[in-house]
Amino acid sequence: MKRSTAAAGILLGLMTSAAHADISIGFLATMSGPQGVLGQDMYDGFMLGIELAGGKLGGQKVTVIKEDDQSKPDVATQAVTKLIQKDRVPIIVGVTASNIMMAVHQRVTGSGTFLVGTVAGPTPVTGANCSENFFSTSWNNDSLHEAMGAYVTSTGYKKVLAIAPNIQAGTDAVNGFRRFYKTPLADEIYAQWNQADYSSEIGAIQSSRPDAVYAFLPGGMGINFVKQYQQAGLLGVIPLVTTSTIDGTTLPALKTLAVGAVTGGSYSPDLKNEANTQFVAGFKAKYGRLPSLYAAQSYDAARLLDSALAKVGGDVGKKPEFRKAMLQADFASVGGTFRFNTNHFPIRDYYRIDVEKDAQGQAAFVTKMTVLKDHADAYVAQCPLKD
Amino acid sequence: MSAQFLVSQMLNGLQFGVFLYLMAAGLTLVLGVMNFVNLAHGSLFMVGAYIAAASFERSESFAVALLGAVVGTGLLGLLLHGTLLARLQQAGHLKQVLATFGLTLFFNELVRIVWGPSSLYMQLPDALSGTVAVFGITYPAYRLAIVGAGVLVAIGLWLLVHRTRIGMLIRAGATNRDAVETLGVNINALNAAVFVLGAALAGFAGGVAAPLLSVQSGMGDPILILTLVVIVLGGIGSSKGAFQAAIFVALVDAAGRTFIPLILRSLMDRSLANAAGPAVASMLIYCVMAIILAVRPGGLFAARGR
């Protein structure tokens, strides 16, 4: 792997003047540790996007150089420095966590390297610190919570309790939710990061008897909470509305325990569009599981790059032309409608997606309704970019 | 605040305490009797949970899953002791800490390699999947069953240590290793037996926890830290002390998580209290530990002798 990467680097160095050089793309994600499952899904989705295009993007053969940031900002910074200076990649794709995005965004975009974020979308890079070299196939972090705020408003629940981890993303989640759900919250519970036992919090929920619970507990926290919420006999009794808690990466660990929960997002494997049908079939055939939204957005990144590279004849060196081609977003997103806003974040639909039993009795995501149509993030006005 | 709320939080504390005891009992035996620092105890817990989830997937039987966890981690304990840890018996605590910490990293990666990065699925046994009404509240039946199982293990362990010949040798070996060896007892075999028992207890705790928690790489690490607090407070080597300290730690932890955010809210701005509450609550048990160790360095419940 190392040798072939180096060889590709030398090859690229020799052939930069040639018209049809291969393209190296850096891929940065959290591949190990508790969040490693997200990075694996991202990588699998991205590689499938390249494979379904015949191993090429925009007609050019592609070499992907994978780096694991281990969920550590310092490791991520080293990895992108290596990708930019040693491997000389013109494009870096991925980035799982928001703190990693904050660590690498300026370093990558400031060097003139293009960065395509497929999951993390922290507010600074959406607003004031946006960059012309950055493109997101995901969202601003608030968008998912805004969508669920809008959904809960439509249900008429009056007494809503929110639970989130005691970190920046947790308070951001509750604030994003409240931007679209104006009724004062019955209570806000902040749990410790990576907390395993939620019996105390569930006791508080039982005693306050809200109309609904809004939960943002990513990864293992979500698995713990949903299991224990279900075991306390609350699932299906007090409606559970979630984001980033029950998703394609955690449902296999929850299975039918999560049936009855409501989730929200920009993607579900059951979305009916041609691009998604092809994607889901390809993903299932290759990896034997259903894709998560992380896989879907990384697959979208491959389709986006394919469309833009084709327009510039595979020459990323033509930066203004390539940027313009990217902005046109001339590809069919697996999540439905997709176009770029002036801050290079998508304007897209957000859905209510329920966990239900399918015909075989297995837990499955079922898209119920479009909660927000052509939704733009709340920070675009702060971004100085105007094209 | 209602009485039901208090009762449910008390039960939560009790249940978590019993769960901590299952972990602490094994660790305190190994540390107290063998004088061996085993930081890989959390890994044995994790491996127990993984074996339980994996055997549940094959057999769909909770009993088989639990048995698999106990036997599997017991065998793993035997293997670890035979190949590596017995050699470190006389090597001093620092080398034991380094070696067993290395083992935790090794096992965290190993389960990822064997079972993949995703969390595994495990459900409750059907008979215990409901809720029961106790003291005017509804409480998950499974959590009550954990309390019962923990109490049974505590009684069994007490009988083993205090009422059997093996228990007598274990206590004697802890007090004067050389004298026991001189009397013709194979102290290494005795140590191996203690280690296997500790490993099996950790595996049992892991198997019991698998339906409650996300079965994932590294799940044993946070539990290990609380377990260390328990055995330090309980007096190292004392399984009775471990039981009392486990309940104490869990009740303090539950009370902290319940009341500190409420108290802070009455004292300061709500958003500040929301941010500070969980942070202070998570520190509480360590603050209590520091105070107790300053006053009673031998631990809160250390019995005279053992």
Side-chain angles (χ1 to χ4, degrees), chain A residues 27-358:
Chain A
F27 187 91
L28 178 76
T30 306
M31 311 294 298
S32 54
Q35 306 293 326
V37 56
L38 302 191
Q40 190 61 48
D41 250 35
M42 293 164 69
Y43 185 70
D44 289 348
F46 186 68
M47 295 312 282
L48 182 70
I50 296 173
E51 190 185 303
L52 291 187
K56 294 176 176 179
L57 291 178
Q60 306 297 300
K61 266 190 85 70
V62 173
T63 314
V64 175
I65 304 169
K66 179 169 76 166
E67 295 288 340
D68 174 16
D69 61 39
Q70 301 168 27
S71 207
K72 293 175 186 153
D74 54 322
V75 176
T77 314
Q78 281 174 18
V80 296
T81 306
K82 175 202 163 252
L83 286 172
I84 295 166
Q85 292 180 359
K86 180 162 167 283
D87 302 321
R88 299 190 175 278
V89 299
I91 301 164
I92 295 176
V93 178
V95 189
T96 314
S98 290
N99 61 335
I100 302 292
M101 179 61 86
M102 293 306 293
V104 303
H105 179 266
Q106 172 58 30
R107 187 172 291 251
V108 176
T109 58
S111 74
T113 309
F114 290 99
L115 180 59
V116 183
T118 68
V119 175
T123 291
V125 310
T126 322
N129 297 335
C130 65
S131 164
E132 60 175 2
N133 291 335
F134 178 82
F135 296 86
S136 168
T137 57
S138 58
W139 50 56
N140 169 269
N141 284 353
D142 290 6
S143 295
L144 293 173
H145 311 296
E146 291 166 355
M148 284 298 94
Y151 161 67
V152 173
T153 303
S154 76
T155 59
Y157 297 141
K158 287 284 166 276
K159 199 178 163 194
V160 176
L161 182 150
I163 176 166
N166 186 31
I167 54 164
Q168 188 61 39
T171 45
D172 286 353
V174 175
N175 290 335
F177 180 79
R178 284 204 299 214
R179 193 172 295 134
F180 280 70
Y181 179 76
K182 305 288 187 190
T183 317
L185 292 175
D187 203 354
E188 293 159 44
I189 299 177
Y190 291 95
Q192 290 163 41
W193 178 251
N194 275 342
Q195 186 168 318
D197 184 70
Y198 292 87
S199 54
S200 162
E201 289 76 7
I202 287 169
I205 292 169
Q206 276 174 319
S207 91
S208 89
R209 288 261 144 213
D211 295 339
V213 171
Y214 179 63
F216 166 70
L217 295 163
M221 289 184 288
I223 298 174
N224 289 327
F225 178 77
V226 175
K227 274 185 173 184
Q228 293 164 25
Y229 192 84
Q230 192 266 350
Q231 287 159 9
L234 295 182
L235 194 60
V237 176
I238 302 175
L240 180 64
V241 181
T242 67
T243 45
S244 308
T245 301
I246 306 164
D247 59 30
T249 61
T250 56
L251 192 62
L254 288 165
K255 295 191 181 170
T256 51
L257 298 179
V259 167
V262 176
T263 77
S266 54
Y267 176 77
S268 166
D270 76 327
L271 283 176
K272 302 269 181 292
N273 64 62
E274 202 180 313
N276 191 38
T277 310
Q278 191 194 1
F279 168 56
V280 172
F283 199 92
K284 270 171 93 169
K286 178 137 194 229
Y287 306 112
R289 62 181 198 271
L290 281 173
S292 68
L293 72 171
Y294 313 104
Q297 287 163 178
S298 305
Y299 178 82
D300 268 2
R303 310 302 319 129
L304 168 68
L305 286 169
D306 185 40
S307 74
L309 283 167
K311 285 185 181 174
V312 294
D315 187 359
V316 193
K318 298 178 187 162
K319 284 187 182 174
E321 290 84 354
F322 179 68
R323 207 172 283 132
K324 210 170 143 213
M326 288 285 280
L327 264 181
Q328 286 167 354
D330 197 2
F331 74 103
S333 167
V334 294
T337 61
F338 186 108
R339 63 193 157 90
F340 277 119
N341 212 337
T342 54
N343 60 353
H344 299 190
F345 272 76
I347 297 174
R348 67 191 320 174
D349 296 347
Y350 291 88
Y351 310 97
R352 169 191 160 188
I353 302 154
D354 286 14
V355 183
E356 292 183 351
K357 272 191 185 167
D358 66 10

